[in-house]
Amino acid sequence: MKNSIKVLGIESSCDDTAASVLSLEYNQDQYSKVSIRSSIVFDQNSIHSSFGGVVPELAARAHSEKLDFSVESALEKARISINEIDLISVTSGPGLIGGLLSGVMFSKALALGLNKPLVGVNHLAGHALTPRLIDQTPFPYLVLLVSGGHCQFLIVENESNFKRIGGTIDDAPGEAFDKTAKILGLNYPGGPEIEKRALLGNSEAYELPKPLISQNNCNMSFSGLKTALRRETEKALVYNPILSEDTINDLCASFQKTMKDIFVTKSAIAMSIFKNSYPKIPHIISLVGGVAANTEIRSSLKQLAYMFGFKTVIPPFHLCTDNAAMIAFAGSQLFLKSKESKDNLRPRPRWPLDKTAPSLIGSGKRGRKS
Ligand code: KG4
Ligand code: ZN
């Protein structure tokens, strides 16, 4: 028997207030078809831009001001009324506590008032399950999750089991993009700004460090990269009181190339691990998270995967950066499998996807995210 549900997703864990409506057809506990009816994202770039990074208090306030409006917009765009929603799915961690509280409290009130079921979702699971939202990618598959707060290689075994096989020991790559942009006087978020500048620069102009590159594992480190770039900037400023456009472009190109080289080297190791663990199934790798919106990083991963006999599934740009469609989808998967848990409905600033993997953050330096 075929059934269908309409899911409202709500995301407010960092600096995007997002709402989305999905329609999902399913047989028993397996979805057979999913369509994104609407996906609304209000970014807070103009609020945080002058600070060069997210200011948690300002982010929380902006979320509470925009949540109802984003839900209304998502319903309007999907042309359905709130009463037609069958399930509400909200990000309950990891992330900034103020934003998580706003989203979870808002969703609880909505679910209570409408008498609808509510599921709390791990934001990272939202990113990691996006390949299934766009492509019905079969389990298990390999994911490189690269965002503003996280960087991990994951084997996605099913909708609630994720095995981490490596990740950053300090900064996240998006964080490194953002901090580098700040050093160079570029706008926040730094990723898209650096990508634009990199197109105009010489990627061989500066040699930047690639820590851990020769270790035969999937761990990475980015904090030294940003520090080395700061040093190169200071050196350039000795000869000129302001950085020339050419210098900025060359630094951006060199930074992006170094980042890409690190991902390529470590993805090769991750693909070997995956192949050894699952020799007899189709091999699939996906790149997800905000940094996956970077064209050079996307194309280099595609090329590498091709050489390793892997299929690549890379979401379109708007589903790489934060959005609520991925949250609606991840919540629907837990709901269908009856794996939703009341415990997931409390805001959890820290919430590792793989609870068995030891913390990597702190093995490099004490970071703010795990
Ligand atoms: O996944 P996301 O939207 O939010 C988090 O969960 O962190 O990722 C945001 C990060 C920011 O650090 C931003 O600079 C980076 O993704 N980003 C990019 C690009 N677009 C966004 N980094 C590199 N190249 C891009 N085109
Ligand atoms: Zn994210």
Side-chain angles (χ1 to χ4, degrees):
M1 194 181 69
K2 200 200 281 174
N3 290 299
S4 68
I5 47 170
K6 294 185 187 68
V7 190
L8 172 67
I10 295 174
E11 156 65 36
S12 60
S13 65
C14 189
D15 60 345
D16 293 299
T17 315
S20 167
V21 175
L22 292 191
S23 291
L24 201 101
E25 288 176 15
Y26 64 95
N27 292 302
Q28 293 176 343
D29 63 354
Q30 285 293 336
Y31 79 102
S32 51
K33 193 174 166 202
V34 56
S35 63
I36 302 175
R37 304 270 300 261
S38 65
S39 180
I40 304 288
V41 181
F42 289 106
D43 70 48
Q44 302 176 355
N45 295 347
S46 61
I47 296 174
H48 305 295
S49 185
S50 58
F51 300 96
V54 181
V55 182
E57 278 305 316
L58 298 181
R61 181 183 297 204
H63 285 307
S64 60
E65 282 168 4
K66 277 284 192 306
L67 272 164
D68 51 356
F69 187 54
S70 38
V71 168
E72 273 171 26
S73 309
L75 291 167
E76 201 178 299
K77 182 128 195 260
R79 292 171 187 273
I80 70 165
S81 83
I82 188 80
N83 291 312
E84 292 173 79
I85 292 291
D86 302 296
L87 172 71
I88 300 169
S89 174
V90 63
T91 303
S92 49
L96 299 171
I97 186 67
L100 294 172
L101 268 168
S102 298
V104 171
M105 290 305 144
F106 178 88
S107 305
K108 279 188 176 174
L110 203 58
L112 201 67
L114 296 166
N115 197 21
K116 305 281 180 186
L118 172 65
V119 185
V121 165
N122 184 310
H123 177 88
L124 306 177
H127 280 302
L129 292 172
T130 301
R132 287 176 61 74
L133 165 62
I134 58 163
D135 194 49
Q136 301 223 343
T137 305
F139 296 123
Y141 55 90
L142 179 65
V143 155
L144 170 56
L145 192 168
V146 277
S147 72
H150 299 273
C151 178
Q152 327 188 332
F153 282 103
L154 296 162
I155 294 178
V156 184
E157 295 172 338
N158 58 45
E159 44 287 292
S160 50
N161 282 349
F162 305 86
K163 189 172 167 199
R164 197 189 68 206
I165 57 171
T168 182
I169 63 163
D170 41 49
D171 288 355
E175 196 178 350
F177 267 104
D178 295 338
K179 287 177 177 169
T180 296
K182 192 176 177 185
I183 295 168
L184 297 175
L186 304 176
N187 283 337
Y188 173 85
E193 294 293 314
I194 291 183
E195 178 167 23
K196 264 188 256 157
R197 293 297 198 125
L199 286 174
L200 308 171
N202 171 10
S203 62
E204 305 294 334
Y206 296 91
E207 195 173 338
L208 299 170
K210 298 172 195 162
L212 311 188
I213 202 79
S214 50
Q215 283 188 10
N216 189 23
N217 60 33
C218 302
N219 293 341
M220 293 161 275
S221 162
F222 301 105
S223 75
L225 178 54
K226 160 205 78 201
T227 310
L229 192 129
R230 185 193 298 279
R231 257 188 244 115
E232 293 296 348
T233 308
E234 283 162 1
K235 267 195 241 163
L237 286 173
V238 171
Y239 302 105
N240 282 304
I242 51 165
L243 289 178
S244 72
E245 293 299 310
D246 283 348
T247 306
I248 296 177
N249 296 343
D250 287 351
L251 282 166
C252 287
S254 305
F255 173 85
Q256 184 174 279
K257 179 185 176 291
T258 310
M259 193 68 101
K260 178 204 77 183
D261 289 348
I262 297 172
F263 291 143
V264 164
T265 306
K266 295 297 179 170
S267 298
I269 299 173
M271 284 193 261
S272 301
I273 294 174
F274 187 88
K275 258 189 171 171
N276 287 339
S277 309
Y278 300 99
K280 292 199 176 118
I281 59 162
H283 296 136
I284 301 165
I285 183 167
S286 182
L287 181 67
V288 299
V291 179
N294 186 287
T295 305
E296 191 179 343
I297 294 171
R298 291 162 84 93
S299 59
S300 58
L301 194 86
K302 259 190 214 159
Q303 262 176 25
L304 179 81
Y306 180 74
M307 277 159 48
F308 272 72
F310 274 61
K311 177 185 167 187
T312 25
V313 179
I314 306 186
F317 297 111
H318 65 283
L319 294 176
C320 286
T321 46
D322 285 351
N323 65 87
M326 67 179 191
I327 300 305
F329 180 70
S332 72
Q333 302 305 288
L334 296 177
F335 183 71
L336 291 186
K337 301 270 170 182
S338 303
K339 285 199 169 164
E340 74 269 44
S341 142
K342 288 246 171 324
D343 195 38
N344 290 355
L345 280 169
R346 70 189 156 88
R348 297 167 73 173
R350 284 175 187 264
W351 186 1
L353 265 186
D354 181 351
K355 288 156 213 80
T356 60
S359 176
L360 282 171
I361 303 285
S363 54
K365 75 170 176 62
R366 189 115 324 259
R368 60 192 162 103
K369 292 147 185 160
S370 64

